[in-house]
Amino acid sequence: MEKFERYIFTALCSTNFLVSCLLFSKITREQREPYMDEIFHVRQAQKYCYGKFNEWDPMIPTLPGLYLASVGVIKPVVWLVDLTGKVVCSTAMLRFINLLFNCGILYLLYLIICKLHLKEKTASRRVLSALSLSTFPVLYFFNFLYYTDAGSTFFILFTYLMTLYGCHKASALISVFAIFFRQTNIIWVAFCASTVVANKMDETWRTEQSKKKDDKSPCQIPFSVSGVKRVMRFLLEFLTTANHVKAVMLVAWPYILVAVGFIAFIVLNDGIVVGDRSSHEACLNFPQLFYFFSFALFFSSPTSLCYHRALRFIQNLKKQPLLYLLITGLCLLLVWKFTFVHKYLLADNRHFPFYVWKRIFQKHEVVRFALIPAYVFAAWNFMDTLKSRSLFWSLAFLVCLLAATVPQKLLEFRYFIVPYLLYRLHMPLPSLTRLVLEFLFYTAVNTATLYIFINKTFQWPNSPAVQRFMW
């Protein structure tokens, strides 16, 4: 980091933290008591603060990473400044932990961007890209409440950063903390391990192609039957060759140990979820992948959408009409047979997804099928923006994306945070103008959602409690 860039980044970090603290103060004054899932998280964290580590709330589905981290930060501070009374492990103090995670997330995003875009010499684009992503609306909102999202995202990004730097033992160790925040993070730990395998495959591919005097890289293989056969043959050969498997194992063994430990946890726990199992049952909800593509298209629109890309999509439709017709038919089948609706989505009118479902999907039975062309474009746009990545990296990311989205019965935008950030990080670094547009777009969405949360309150007929809208 150059001296001037270091000063800019430090100033932006300080400004970001100051603004977040002011917003935090306002939100905490308006909503002093735990809200929504905070009721369970705050209560459990306070038990840990008082040393009651053997008591567990059966409504909490995740491991105690958030509460252990909170106690690990708060207890030394309490001892140093000699705090006593209700302020210790209060709702406000527990929420503040996520503001600290937000600062860490901004720094990690910056480091990952620097590592992934080594050829980018413009400091302002790197810094602004990190700042913009740290204000990603769904993530930024939950910095002000006591949820697992900020900590979970922090440790996954930290894990991936260590993977990028080749520190695989450190990466595996940090990944354990990520899993303790949210069990499904094992999928993104698997992604980190998969990138190691993908790198080995890329090296082997280039070596083989150089021997055949073929300069095609994995990402340049044409989408054809012969191209698919070629890749499948290479994958089969790679995974059944002892030397290749040995080379991968020598690098990826720390991640394998984490996977073995996680399998042991599943066996002992009789499942992935810790509590409230009836509300967290897995299913094959394939449209979740389409919802994610639409979500990614919406939030990446300032950086990914352009006239030339739309024109290229139309040209692809004209060149390969049968392929897109087949894809559309498959989407129709998946939407028809594999759409699941969670009871919470239909019952809780405090969440934005409730209104998305009610005002779009429930308008008419045909709507969910009419949206398929938009899904196809969103998926194509997603893949087109990642075309600079190798085929094997893209395959690893798509498999992990499938594993992270499809089993989820509940449409919950928070589940899209990590895959979206990884997607956006691996896009070619946008121009300064587009980054400014993205930052302004995210700021506008954050302003609107926080304003609605603070000011647009309502009450249920059978409850005097104040209700608020949120992601």
Side-chain angles (χ1 to χ4, degrees), residues 243-457:
N243 287 339
H244 292 155
V245 174
K246 183 180 177 182
V248 169
M249 294 282 283
L250 286 173
V251 179
W253 66 265
Y255 304 104
I256 296 171
L257 287 181
V258 174
V260 170
F262 189 75
I263 292 169
F265 158 74
I266 292 174
V267 172
L268 293 172
N269 187 57
D270 194 27
I272 293 177
V273 179
V274 177
D276 193 21
R277 299 193 178 198
S278 63
S279 299
H280 295 83
E281 295 175 345
C283 65
L284 290 176
N285 192 4
F286 284 103
Q288 281 278 22
L289 186 62
F290 307 150
Y291 307 150
F292 172 76
F293 285 143
S294 304
F295 176 90
L297 178 65
F298 177 77
F299 281 106
S300 70
S301 55
T303 55
S304 71
L305 284 183
C306 65
Y307 169 77
H308 296 292
R309 180 163 281 134
L311 191 63
R312 197 159 61 247
F313 174 69
I314 294 170
Q315 290 170 347
N316 280 346
L317 282 177
K318 291 177 179 178
K319 286 180 182 178
Q320 298 175 308
L322 290 177
L323 172 63
Y324 284 96
L325 192 63
L326 181 64
I327 291 171
T328 303
L330 178 61
C331 292
L332 280 167
L333 178 65
L334 294 176
V335 169
W336 178 35
K337 291 293 185 182
F338 294 94
T339 297
F340 292 88
V341 184
H342 199 284
K343 59 183 180 181
Y344 288 170
L345 180 61
L346 300 175
D348 197 336
N349 66 343
R350 294 171 293 182
H351 286 292
F352 294 152
F354 171 88
Y355 296 95
V356 171
W357 196 265
K358 180 181 178 182
R359 295 179 180 178
I360 298 176
F361 292 92
Q362 285 190 325
K363 276 291 182 183
H364 196 278
E365 182 67 21
V366 177
V367 170
R368 60 190 180 122
F369 299 105
L371 289 171
I372 287 174
Y375 296 154
V376 173
F377 173 72
W380 180 89
N381 185 76
F382 183 87
M383 295 306 302
D384 192 63
T385 50
L386 292 177
K387 65 182 179 182
S388 60
R389 299 295 158 184
S390 77
L391 174 67
F392 303 120
W393 182 94
S394 299
L395 284 174
F397 185 52
L398 284 175
V399 169
C400 292
L401 180 60
L402 277 166
T405 56
V406 171
Q408 301 284 357
K409 190 175 184 179
L410 177 63
L411 174 58
E412 177 72 86
F413 294 146
R414 293 187 299 128
Y415 300 156
F416 296 160
I417 291 173
V418 171
Y420 177 80
L421 288 179
L422 289 173
Y423 160 65
R424 174 60 183 76
L425 284 166
H426 287 87
M427 284 172 55
L429 207 57
S431 65
L432 194 60
T433 303
R434 284 184 170 271
L435 286 171
V436 170
L437 285 173
E438 181 186 53
F439 178 70
L440 292 175
F441 176 50
Y442 287 178
T443 301
V445 175
N446 283 326
T447 302
T449 51
L450 291 174
Y451 174 82
I452 290 169
F453 180 80
I454 294 170
N455 296 299
K456 299 297 181 180
T457 59

